[in-house]
Amino acid sequence: MNKLAILGATGSIGTSSLDVVRAHRDRLEVVAVSAHRDWRKLAKICREFSPRVAILAEESLRDEVDTSQFPQETELQFGAEAITQTARASDIDTVIAAIVGAAGLASSYAAVDTGKRLAIANKETLVVAGPIIVERARQTGAELLPVDSEHSAIFQAMQAGSAQEVSKIILTSSGGPFREKSQEEIAVVTPEEALQHPTWEMGQKITIDSATMMNKALEIIEARWLFNLQSDQIEVVIHQQSFVHSMVEFIDGSVIAQMSPPDMRLPIQYALSYPHRWIAVAAKADFKKTFSLDFSPPDFERFPALKLGFDVASQGGTTGAVLNACNEVAVSRFLRRELSFYDIARLCRELLDRHNFIRKPTIEELMAQDKWARKETNLWKP
Ligand code: NAD
Ligand code: MG
């Protein structure tokens, strides 16, 4: 039995993870779940899966929650620290990191620090502290398994050769909802338009990130640390069907791709089944139908966030923490209509240029930069 903690169980990845558990009850057991504030949804999950512990990150809900909605066998806890402590618990084998944003960093680090398998969807953790997480995993023997579909694809394709034989990776991107729009049109898009993703149904923050292509920028940085690549070994290609999830090119020119219909349950399941494969939960491809796959280069002019990804991947140090924090706050200000669409990337660039760069920061130094960037982004006036 693989004993799981699903952190961020009420979100899009959390929901898909629970679906994978439903299909593989003989192998997977949910021991812990967490959510930010949606206690009704968390209670419903607990009634179905009977975990040992359920945690709400928002402490102030303590007096509001109707504890009778939770089953007897589940202990309800509150606060971010309880989530981190649970990620360290000895009765958990695998932590599924499905919290959104830098809020997922402490629990992801705790899982790696205690030598567990970390199935990581929470890419922001790797953007902020990639080198620290990867190095700690190496020391403790913790396994880092990507859940992000592109990184799962690369992880799978890499098994076709040795690390020294990889020449580059090609990250695919659907191009988001504004793939066909002009720069002038993109400049005035509304939150409602940006929340309509053509191929994936996801949480709000990553959906906006997909529209700005900041999501791909974060994924470039994520790949740089996960696979120990140089930034010039990473390419991005627009592939609107989201069928090829990414590719690895080897030194002999062979390109190995991983393909499947877009459904996060496949990469989540692989992060749990690795090094084996289990029967599919997600629908399979149908090659009896006619369909075609398109690839085209990305446009750095219309999507300035992309360049930020390459710059941060090559600079490292504190740049990931600044980019991520600025983007998180700028996205929420865009959703509140306080910033325009292009302000998000503009502001990230400005803060990266202005911040106090440290080449080999500690976690505390990264957190200080995160705090600074959040404050500056909140104060910024367009
Ligand atoms: P979501 O918004 O649907 O869910 C986020 C989860 O985190 C929820 O359970 C929420 O309660 C919890 N949460 C939010 N803020 C929190 C906080 N401050 N403290 C503790 N918990 C908090 O997001 P999602 O789409 O499921 O994405 C989760 C992560 O997975 C993100 O890092 C995202 O980039 C990554 N990811 C998502 C997808 C996808 O298809 N949704 C694909 C690849 C990667
Ligand atoms: Mg992705």
Side-chain angles (χ1 to χ4, degrees):
M1 269 297 191
N2 188 347
K3 297 186 172 169
L4 308 176
I6 305 180
L7 306 181
T10 53
S12 160
I13 293 289
T15 302
S16 295
S17 302
L18 291 168
D19 236 13
V20 172
V21 176
R22 281 185 195 101
H24 299 288
R25 291 273 199 181
D26 52 333
R27 309 180 197 259
L28 302 172
E29 182 186 339
V30 182
V31 174
V33 288
S34 82
H36 191 198
R37 358 174 28 113
D38 191 348
W39 62 266
R40 288 184 181 83
K41 194 164 178 183
L42 193 66
K44 187 161 181 274
I45 292 168
C46 290
R47 292 197 297 273
E48 181 180 350
F49 292 92
S50 309
R52 170 177 67 74
V53 57
I55 309 142
L56 280 166
E58 186 59 56
E59 304 237 23
S60 64
L61 291 174
R62 215 180 265 272
D63 302 325
E64 205 180 288
V65 179
D66 174 5
T67 49
S68 73
Q69 304 266 314
F70 287 79
Q72 290 244 306
E73 60 276 18
T74 302
E75 184 193 343
L76 184 59
Q77 300 178 353
F78 293 87
E81 184 51 33
I83 298 180
T84 307
Q85 283 313 320
T86 296
R88 294 187 171 276
S90 59
D91 62 347
I92 287 161
D93 305 309
T94 299
V95 171
I96 301 182
I99 291 175
V100 59
L105 173 61
S107 49
S108 295
Y109 182 83
V112 161
D113 195 39
T114 46
K116 299 189 169 65
R117 176 175 291 198
L118 180 64
I120 187 155
N122 177 231
K123 65 190 85 187
E124 293 90 349
T125 282
L126 292 165
V127 170
V128 175
I132 293 175
I133 296 281
V134 168
E135 173 59 14
R136 191 66 193 137
R138 201 187 55 75
Q139 290 166 347
T140 63
E143 290 177 297
L144 268 177
L145 271 295
V147 165
D148 214 348
S149 55
E150 294 78 0
H151 304 72
S152 176
I154 291 162
F155 183 73
Q156 294 180 56
M158 284 225 174
Q159 293 165 38
S162 73
Q164 296 76 15
E165 292 160 354
V166 170
S167 54
K168 66 180 182 193
I169 64 164
I170 302 105
L171 292 170
T172 55
S173 163
S174 70
F178 307 141
R179 189 169 40 90
E180 307 284 0
K181 280 196 193 295
S182 70
Q183 198 152 9
E184 294 70 32
E185 289 168 327
I186 295 173
V188 294
V189 296
T190 63
E192 289 73 22
E193 291 169 303
L195 285 170
Q196 300 295 324
H197 196 276
T199 43
W200 296 100
E201 244 192 71
M202 312 176 285
Q204 276 205 340
K205 192 250 175 192
I206 184 174
T207 304
I208 300 299
D209 286 349
S210 301
T212 55
M213 290 196 70
M214 185 65 83
N215 183 49
K216 214 45 58 181
L218 302 179
E219 291 183 353
I220 292 165
I221 305 160
E222 179 184 12
R224 192 243 176 281
W225 302 124
L226 264 182
F227 303 114
N228 190 24
L229 299 163
Q230 298 306 310
S231 57
D232 61 3
Q233 290 179 288
I234 305 172
E235 264 177 31
V236 172
V237 65
I238 304 298
H239 165 55
Q240 65 169 102
Q241 292 87 6
S242 300
F243 188 78
V244 173
H245 297 299
S246 281
M247 303 175 261
V248 175
E249 185 199 84
F250 290 90
I251 47 175
D252 61 357
S254 268
V255 176
I256 309 289
Q258 186 264 335
M259 297 183 264
S260 56
D263 187 325
M264 288 308 295
R265 291 175 300 181
L266 172 46
I268 292 167
Q269 175 171 308
Y270 190 67
L272 302 175
S273 71
Y274 175 82
H276 305 288
R277 290 185 182 272
W278 299 338
I279 304 231
V281 214
K284 292 183 183 172
D286 182 359
F287 286 95
K288 292 186 198 73
K289 284 191 189 138
T290 302
F291 67 97
S292 49
L293 302 175
D294 301 300
F295 299 95
S296 58
D299 185 339
F300 288 83
E301 296 277 311
R302 289 185 299 134
F303 298 100
L306 261 186
K307 178 77 169 41
L308 294 168
F310 283 107
D311 289 349
V312 168
S314 68
Q315 288 159 17
T318 37
T319 58
V322 172
L323 175 70
N324 178 67
C326 180
N327 181 58
E328 281 190 33
V329 177
V331 166
S332 49
R333 289 194 65 187
F334 168 73
L335 288 170
R336 294 198 302 268
R337 294 181 166 69
E338 295 169 11
L339 297 182
S340 76
F341 192 74
Y342 278 133
D343 284 340
I344 301 173
R346 187 176 304 136
L347 186 46
C348 289
R349 172 62 71 195
E350 188 188 311
L351 291 199
L352 280 172
D353 290 346
R354 263 174 45 205
H355 94 286
N356 255 330
F357 180 74
I358 304 172
R359 202 176 59 80
K360 243 183 155 290
T362 61
I363 286 254
E364 292 70 32
E365 286 168 330
L366 290 170
M367 289 299 91
Q369 297 279 355
D370 170 284
K371 204 170 158 198
W372 172 82
R374 282 172 203 273
K375 193 179 101 224
E376 292 294 315
T377 310
N378 269 316
L379 292 173
W380 194 78
K381 295 210 172 59

